[in-house]
């Protein structure tokens, strides 16, 4: 399998940590973000200088099929083949369902779920041709059990979990594995909306007694990319024993 990877939502959090882990392992990278272009360019420069790899960067909305199409097309043109796809980009919405309007719903679904379809739809043909590839979807424990006031987010992550299991079965005959990481409370910007008291209360519920780190999620992603191909269609929970 060619050591190339496309990682969405790579300017910060789990995506950035994954970019660093994969670069350290010698992967050439294609990275994207929506709003943090300068941060992404800085990261790309650091990774190229430190690890001597090639890094492509793209700025746009992964909820837009045409943007993803252009990104994948250019990536394949430069790299020839993609060995790994990490669908990490995501946004949250916290609030009552009755306070959510259709525009909010469509935005959450397009970024969190449609983007996974788009990237897979566009990357899979080249993986099938190569008879190899790894797809890693970053999901959430809320996709397993649901969260009050996060109905849309939970629905998207539940969709990713089912998508992962189904596509894993579909692509296994072609030597491609598809797995997901159902993250618990990871210490990222997305979870910094909580007040200190709320964070403390949450950590008291987690047997590990702390939030996970983006680096831990990234390490698991790399292990899925480099581990046994026979591990397929699985949703692996990373939550410190919480759920």
């Amino acid at each position: 399998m060619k050591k190339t990877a496309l990682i969405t939502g790579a300017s910060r959090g789990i995506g950035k940590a994954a970019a660093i882990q994969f670069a350290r392992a010698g992967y050439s990278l294609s990275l994207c973000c929506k709003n943090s272009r300068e941060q992404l360019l800085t990261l790309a420069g650091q990774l190229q200088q430190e690890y001597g790899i090639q890094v492509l960067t793209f700025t746009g909305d992964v909820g837009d099929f045409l943007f993803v199409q252009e990104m994948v097309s250019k990536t394949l043109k430069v790299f020839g083949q993609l060995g790994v796809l990490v669908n990490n980009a995501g946004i949250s919405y916290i609030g009552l369902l009755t306070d959510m309007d259709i525009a909010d719903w469509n935005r959450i679904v397009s970024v969190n779920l449609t983007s996974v379809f788009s990237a897979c739809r566009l990357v899979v043909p080249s993986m099938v041709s190569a008879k190899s590839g790894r797809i890693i979807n970053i999901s959430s424990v809320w996709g397993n059990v649901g969260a009050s006031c996060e109905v849309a987010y939970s629905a998207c992550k539940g969709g990713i979990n089912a998508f992962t299991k189904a596509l894993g079965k579909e692509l296994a005959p072609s030597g491609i594995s598809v797995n997901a990481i159902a993250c618990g409370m990871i210490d990222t910007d997305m979870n910094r909306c909580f007040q200190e008291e709320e964070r403390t209360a949450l950590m008291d519920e987690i047997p590990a007694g702390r939030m996970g780190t983006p680096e831990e999620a990234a390490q698991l992603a790399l292990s899925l990319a480099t581990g046994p191909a026979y591990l397929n269609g699985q949703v692996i929970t990373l939550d410190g024993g919480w759920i």
Side-chain angles (χ1 to χ4, degrees):
M1 184 174 66
K2 192 168 183 180
K3 296 187 82 171
T4 55
L6 189 160
I7 304 171
T8 66
S11 63
R12 57 196 177 113
I14 293 171
K16 178 180 179 180
I20 294 169
Q21 288 282 345
F22 277 83
R24 190 175 292 149
Y27 283 76
S28 291
L29 301 174
S30 180
L31 309 176
C32 78
C33 71
K34 183 179 181 182
N35 299 314
S36 306
R37 177 170 173 76
E38 292 305 315
Q39 287 176 253
L40 189 67
L41 290 174
T42 298
L43 173 65
Q46 291 171 345
L47 296 178
Q48 288 178 124
Q49 183 175 8
E50 189 166 351
Y51 300 108
I53 59 165
Q54 186 173 7
V55 183
L56 307 178
T57 61
F58 300 89
T59 305
D61 180 3
V62 291
D64 177 0
F65 184 85
L66 293 178
F67 165 72
V68 180
Q69 187 175 47
E70 181 181 11
M71 175 174 64
V72 171
S73 176
K74 289 183 177 178
T75 298
L76 289 173
K77 185 175 182 179
V78 173
F79 292 158
Q81 182 194 343
L82 262 174
V84 180
L85 168 63
V86 181
N87 286 306
N88 167 73
I91 55 176
S92 66
Y93 177 98
I94 299 175
L96 296 172
L97 179 69
T98 48
D99 290 334
M100 188 175 205
D101 61 32
I102 189 63
D104 291 326
W105 171 268
N106 287 337
R107 182 173 61 91
I108 293 288
V109 172
S110 69
V111 173
N112 290 1
L113 185 55
T114 302
S115 66
V116 176
F117 159 78
S118 299
C120 289
R121 171 63 185 84
L122 294 161
V123 166
V124 162
S126 67
M127 289 184 172
V128 170
S129 294
K131 291 289 184 182
S132 71
R134 304 292 173 90
I135 297 171
I136 300 151
N137 299 321
I138 304 302
S139 185
S140 167
V141 292
W142 299 145
N144 298 335
V145 299
S148 174
C149 295
E150 293 192 64
V151 171
Y153 182 83
S154 299
C156 290
K157 295 303 185 179
I160 287 173
N161 292 351
F163 183 101
T164 297
K165 294 174 184 179
L167 190 61
K169 292 177 180 179
E170 191 170 311
L171 295 180
S174 297
I176 301 161
S177 66
V178 187
N179 295 291
I181 301 172
C183 295
M185 292 297 296
I186 307 296
D187 192 11
T188 63
D189 289 347
M190 185 181 287
N191 288 322
R192 290 188 187 124
C193 60
F194 296 106
Q195 300 297 320
E196 191 58 36
E197 287 183 7
E198 294 174 312
R199 288 167 65 92
T200 300
L202 280 167
M203 284 187 280
D204 285 343
E205 295 178 8
I206 301 171
R210 64 175 178 84
M211 290 188 180
T213 67
E215 289 72 26
E216 287 172 315
Q219 287 167 12
L220 180 53
L222 180 61
S223 72
L224 289 173
T226 57
Y230 201 61
L231 180 66
N232 202 348
Q234 302 305 303
V235 179
I236 301 165
T237 300
L238 181 72
D239 70 351
W242 183 27
I243 301 297

